[in-house]
């Protein structure tokens, strides 16, 4: 019955590797997001998709590539991982477009550790 | 661009005491305002939100927040804190982005510790 789920929950990998994080929501929402939470708990938006269309793309290295195969899924692929990519990545979803006025529902997070 | 300031990074209160967490925002118009709570190892959960109308909004878990336009503030309050309220609290503002879309900007969070 999980509303927003992410896999894996923990990800430990070496510098230079490529990894993916998957996100699925069963709420029927139109908009999905990826956030990065750093070690100081600062939460910053990376991307947002509405009905599979990219609508928010913050200043994120192009090593990060989101993919939305359908509106219930938003995956995050990261190439050539760096130490600074270590963080907790949260997926979220909301009903409606753009998210500025909508409640966002967050997944449990994926803790990425790059060694 | 909008911004959110949470002046207190860490607050400690005794169980049963009242709580106020401060939040100030910067935006040209009235933004959408939110408070989210993050328990350890969990994602964020919405406590309450303000869009318009009554400036005192009630949320879940006995929390309330008051919007004060003159002070650009949206402080979160609870009259009596329970040990289970220990968590990280995030104030957020939803406002303009580009292409007609909006995005939510989060503050840095306030960590609440509750002591017996």
């Amino acid at each position: 019955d999980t509303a927003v789920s992410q896999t894996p929950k923990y990800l430990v990998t070496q510098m230079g590797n490529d990894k993916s994080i998957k996100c699925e929501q069963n709420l029927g929402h139109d908009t999905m997001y990826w956030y990065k939470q750093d070690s100081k708990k600062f939460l910053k938006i990376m991307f947002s998709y509405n009905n599979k269309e990219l609508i928010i793309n913050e200043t994120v290295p192009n090593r990060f590539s989101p993919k939305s195969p359908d509106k219930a899924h938003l995956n995050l692929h990261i190439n050539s991982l760096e130490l600074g990519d270590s963080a907790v990545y949260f997926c979220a979803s909301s009903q409606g477009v753009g998210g500025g006025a909508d409640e966002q529902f967050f997944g449990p997070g994926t803790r990425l550790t790059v060694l | 661009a909008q911004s959110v300031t949470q002046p207190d990074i860490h607050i400690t209160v005794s169980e049963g005491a009242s709580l106020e967490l401060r939040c100030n925002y910067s935006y040209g118009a009235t933004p959408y305002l939110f408070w989210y709570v993050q328990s350890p190892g969990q994602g964020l959960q919405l406590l309450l939100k303000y869009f318009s109308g009554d400036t005192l909004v009630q949320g879940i878990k006995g929390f309330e927040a008051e919007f004060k336009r003159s002070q650009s503030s949206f402080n979160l309050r609870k009259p009596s804190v329970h040990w289970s309220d220990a968590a990280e609290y995030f104030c957020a503002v939803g406002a303009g982005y580009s292409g007609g879309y909006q995005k939510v900007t989060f503050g840095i969070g306030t960590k609440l510790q509750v002591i017996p």
Side-chain angles (χ1 to χ4, degrees):
Chain A
D1 262 59
T2 305
V4 182
S5 59
Q6 296 178 227
T7 54
K9 190 168 176 64
Y10 300 96
L11 186 52
V12 181
T13 188
Q14 301 286 331
M15 278 177 54
N17 284 350
D18 303 338
K19 290 294 178 185
S20 292
I21 306 172
K22 296 186 176 183
C23 178
E24 177 181 2
Q25 55 96 1
N26 62 7
L27 297 167
H29 287 167
D30 292 329
T31 307
M32 296 184 72
Y33 313 80
W34 277 112
Y35 287 88
K36 179 181 180 181
Q37 186 176 50
D38 62 23
S39 58
K40 291 189 169 66
K41 297 287 191 178
F42 182 59
L43 195 67
K44 184 170 168 50
I45 190 166
M46 302 172 69
F47 303 102
S48 176
Y49 272 73
N50 175 258
N51 280 319
K52 304 193 297 176
E53 178 188 347
L54 181 67
I55 59 171
I56 292 177
N57 186 354
E58 290 290 86
T59 308
V60 177
N62 58 16
R63 298 182 294 103
F64 290 79
S65 52
K67 283 188 172 51
S68 182
D70 56 61
K71 75 172 194 177
H73 295 83
L74 180 62
N75 304 322
L76 184 65
H77 188 75
I78 315 170
N79 289 326
S80 304
L81 278 155
E82 300 177 357
L83 293 177
D85 298 331
S86 294
V88 181
Y89 292 83
F90 285 100
C91 177
S93 71
S94 68
Q95 185 60 39
V97 177
D102 302 320
E103 174 182 1
Q104 296 187 25
F105 292 78
F106 284 78
T110 296
R111 181 175 294 276
L112 171 65
T113 303
V114 182
L115 304 174
Chain B
Q2 65 268 29
S3 66
V4 181
T5 303
Q6 292 181 248
D8 305 306
I9 293 175
H10 192 188
I11 281 186
T12 301
V13 300
S14 298
E15 192 169 13
S18 64
L19 171 70
E20 182 168 30
L21 302 182
R22 296 184 291 165
C23 172
N24 292 95
Y25 69 90
S26 174
Y27 186 59
T30 301
Y32 303 110
L33 294 162
F34 306 84
W35 274 101
Y36 283 84
V37 60
Q38 183 181 25
S39 297
Q42 304 291 321
L44 279 70
Q45 180 187 19
L46 182 71
L47 283 175
L48 47 78
K49 60 186 178 185
Y50 172 78
F51 292 167
S52 63
D54 192 348
T55 56
L56 185 64
V57 293
Q58 302 297 321
I60 62 171
K61 306 186 182 187
F63 286 92
E64 65 177 27
E66 185 172 14
F67 169 61
K68 292 186 178 180
R69 184 189 305 274
S70 61
Q71 298 176 19
S72 297
S73 69
F74 188 56
N75 294 348
L76 182 71
R77 300 195 293 249
K78 186 169 184 178
S80 178
V81 169
H82 188 262
W83 64 266
S84 60
D85 293 324
E88 194 93 24
Y89 291 80
F90 293 90
C91 182
V93 56
Y97 183 63
S98 65
Y101 297 110
Q102 298 184 320
K103 71 171 184 178
V104 174
T105 300
F106 288 84
I108 62 170
T110 297
K111 184 171 184 176
L112 173 65
Q113 182 180 7
V114 180
I115 56 177

